[in-house]
Amino acid sequence: MPEFKYSFKGYDPMVHVRASGREVDVSPKAAREICASIKGMKLAQAKKFLEEVVKLKQPVAFRRYKVKVGHKSALSKFPAGRYPKKAAEKLLELLENLGGNADFKGLDSERLVILHAAASRGRKVKSHVPRAFGRSSPSFNTLVHIELVGREV
């Protein structure tokens, strides 16, 4: 069993609370863009934002992975965006976990601010796709590690 560590430096267990999702089956690009969007938000604000993304009401700005991404009129500062529903649902579960961890530690989850939100590529699951004439092509599915760290303000 691998031993995972957090990339957040300066962790103080008395002040910070953290949650992680390891080897989550979502798009690494979408997870990265959602993490960039919710970083710095309060917990309730981030939950509301992700619920709006799941309902296809609020798009997520795609800043790095923006080639051939349509523009959304609901975005103000950056035009390109999408509605990554599956990744938003998984991050919403992680935010619930972060709030539960804060309550368990005795911190006020209403005043919790997300200091660190990161998504990194995990292991690749290899499979094969059958092709014509008895051939096959390799197909890779990349899993994602997501980490969240919050602090009561």
Side-chain angles (χ1 to χ4, degrees):
M1 190 77 187
E3 187 174 321
F4 296 112
K5 296 185 179 177
Y6 287 82
S7 61
F8 182 72
K9 303 294 180 199
Y11 174 72
D12 182 12
M14 299 301 290
V15 179
H16 298 106
V17 63
R18 59 189 183 179
S20 71
R22 301 297 176 172
E23 296 183 347
V24 181
D25 190 11
V26 295
S27 166
K29 295 178 180 183
R32 184 246 177 229
E33 297 295 352
I34 292 175
C35 286
S37 297
I38 66 170
K39 190 173 179 181
M41 288 185 182
K42 288 198 169 197
L43 186 64
Q45 183 184 4
K47 283 182 186 177
K48 184 178 179 233
F49 172 74
L50 290 180
E51 287 168 357
E52 294 290 318
V53 171
V54 170
K55 292 178 188 173
L56 307 181
K57 302 283 185 192
Q58 177 68 36
V60 175
F62 272 48
R63 297 175 187 274
R64 178 178 291 173
Y65 304 105
K66 60 184 182 270
V67 177
K68 295 186 180 179
V69 174
H71 289 196
K72 305 292 181 228
S73 60
L75 293 171
S76 59
K77 295 182 182 176
F78 202 83
R82 283 190 175 152
Y83 300 98
K85 185 176 179 181
K86 184 177 176 183
E89 288 171 349
K90 295 293 183 179
L91 257 95
L92 200 53
E93 290 175 14
L94 271 176
L95 287 177
E96 296 287 338
N97 193 354
L98 187 72
N101 292 347
D103 292 338
F104 181 76
K105 278 191 167 184
L107 301 175
D108 186 14
S109 61
E110 297 295 324
R111 297 176 44 207
L112 202 67
V113 174
I114 300 169
L115 290 181
H116 174 75
S120 60
R121 292 175 188 260
R123 68 183 178 95
K124 292 186 178 183
V125 179
K126 185 177 181 180
S127 62
H128 290 280
V129 177
R131 305 302 294 243
F133 305 110
R135 297 176 298 134
S136 66
S137 297
S139 174
F140 297 98
N141 182 19
T142 304
L143 303 177
V144 182
H145 303 306
I146 303 169
E147 1 180 285
L148 299 173
V149 177
R151 180 183 177 140
E152 186 180 14
V153 178

